[in-house]
Structures are given as C-alpha cells and as structure tokens.
C-alpha cells in the first residue's frame, strides 16, 4: 500500500524485530508501514524510547510491543512503561501477544490493540484474534480491501476461534 502522505511509522524496540517463523518486520511492512526502531541490538532504555516518541511523534502511526520468548533475552522497556510513554504522546499501541494465554491483562495495562493466536492455547483452528478499541479495530478491518484480503480465514476458523475463546474462559 502507498502510505506516502500518511503517518506511516511503527515505533518498535529493535530487539522486538524478531523472527518467530516469519519476520515481525515483514508483517509490519506488508501494511505499507515503515519501521522506526529504537534502542540497540541488546537493549532499549526508557530514555531512548521517549526520545524517539518525542522526536518522531508527527510521523508515528502506532507503536508495537512484542511479547514473545523470541525476545526474552532483549533488555526491553517494560510493557507497562512502554504503554504509558506512548499514551503520554498520544501514540496508539499494538501488543503482539500471539503466544500469550490471557487476553485481558494487556488491556488492563492500557494496550489499544492486541493480537492473539486462536490455536496456541485456545484449541482452535489456525487463526489470529485481533481485539481492542473499536476505532482501531475498524481501521484494521479496512485492510480487507488491501493486503488482509489474501490472508483472511474462512468461516470455519472464525467459528472455531469463537468456540476456542469461550471454552478457554469456561475451563476449570
């Protein structure tokens, strides 16, 4: 997609540009966004994150935090601090929590959007679950007219994801 005249930067800590079988970078760039990484190869500080937010605010579409064992050795800004700093600069946030079990904790911390796997813990067919604030979900839904069209799941996977989530939260 041509995002030339739009806010098109996604701020992400360098150590979160990991490979989980696919590149996080590639997923971001498929949307037409440009990467704005902060921090070094092994760490990112609160000061570096805040400097990137303040310096590039007018070009940042959102900021992304990846929760994954693939970046567990990276000394990242803690997720709660990351979300607070982004809120301070009115930058919407996406949490990639595909490998996590509990959805609600990321929203309690202040995430605007979170991405989860329907199959890793929920027992669903392979699908992703995107949840969050309605205004951002609507914006993301517009990707059905773009790159998202070729990646959409069928009705069987959607139904399976719904049942998987319901069963996950009913379990003892």
């Amino acid at each position: 997609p041509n995002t030339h005249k739009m806010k098109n930067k996604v701020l992400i800590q360098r150590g979160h540009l990991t490979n989980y079988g696919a590149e996080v970078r590639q997923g971001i760039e498929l949307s037409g966004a440009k990467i704005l990484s902060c921090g070094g190869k092994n760490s990112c500080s609160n000061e570096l994150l805040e400097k990137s937010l303040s310096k590039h605010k007018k070009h940042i579409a959102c900021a992304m935090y990846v929760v994954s064992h693939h970046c567990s050795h990276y000394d990242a800004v803690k997720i709660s601090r990351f979300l607070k700093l982004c809120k301070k600069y009115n930058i919407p946030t996406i949490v990639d929590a595909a490998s996590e079990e509990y959805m609600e904790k990321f929203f309690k911390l202040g995430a605007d959007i979170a991405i989860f796997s329907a199959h890793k813990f929920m027992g669903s067919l392979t699908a992703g679950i995107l949840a969050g604030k309605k205004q951002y979900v609507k914006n993301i839904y517009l990707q059905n007219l773009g790159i998202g069209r070729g990646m959409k799941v069928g009705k069987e996977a959607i139904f399976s994801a719904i049942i998987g989530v319901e069963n996950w939260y009913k379990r003892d």
Side-chain angles (χ1 to χ4, degrees):
N2 182 356
T3 59
H4 177 68
K5 294 184 180 183
M6 304 168 73
K7 280 187 176 185
N8 65 359
K9 304 265 188 233
V10 174
L11 179 67
I12 187 168
Q13 295 175 87
R14 182 162 287 142
H16 287 199
L17 289 169
T18 187
N19 184 324
Y20 54 87
E23 295 281 339
V24 169
R25 172 182 296 280
Q26 183 180 34
I28 293 168
E29 289 175 343
L30 279 170
S31 71
K34 309 292 183 213
I35 302 289
L36 175 60
S37 66
C38 66
K41 182 178 179 182
N42 297 314
S43 67
C44 184
S45 68
N46 292 331
E47 294 76 25
L48 281 173
L49 176 64
E50 187 156 17
K51 183 178 178 182
S52 291
L53 286 164
S54 64
K55 182 178 179 182
H56 302 285
K57 181 183 180 334
K58 66 180 181 178
H59 301 292
I60 299 173
C62 68
M64 185 171 184
Y65 194 99
V66 179
V67 179
S68 171
H69 67 279
H70 294 287
C71 30
S72 62
H73 298 294
Y74 183 75
D75 189 17
V77 172
K78 302 289 182 229
I79 189 168
S80 57
R81 183 72 179 141
F82 182 90
L83 296 171
K84 283 179 186 171
L85 282 172
C86 291
K87 294 288 179 241
K88 177 180 174 181
Y89 290 92
N90 295 314
I91 303 294
T93 54
I94 298 173
V95 175
D96 179 342
S99 63
E100 297 299 300
E101 299 178 44
Y102 298 99
M103 297 176 168
E104 63 278 346
K105 72 181 179 181
F106 300 103
F107 299 113
K108 288 177 182 175
L109 289 172
D112 293 308
I113 290 287
I115 304 164
F116 305 97
S117 169
H119 59 282
K120 290 178 182 165
F121 295 102
M122 309 284 176
S124 170
L125 296 174
T126 301
I129 298 171
L130 187 132
K133 293 184 177 174
K134 190 175 186 176
Q135 71 187 68
Y136 300 119
V137 172
K138 282 182 171 182
N139 291 344
I140 294 164
Y141 182 77
L142 291 174
Q143 282 290 355
N144 278 328
L145 302 172
I147 192 68
R149 182 79 185 155
M151 297 178 198
K152 74 179 198 172
V153 298
K155 59 187 173 289
E156 299 86 356
I158 293 169
F159 183 74
S160 178
I162 292 167
I163 298 303
V165 171
E166 288 175 352
N167 288 339
W168 179 256
Y169 283 96
K170 287 179 189 173
R171 78 193 190 294
D172 184 354

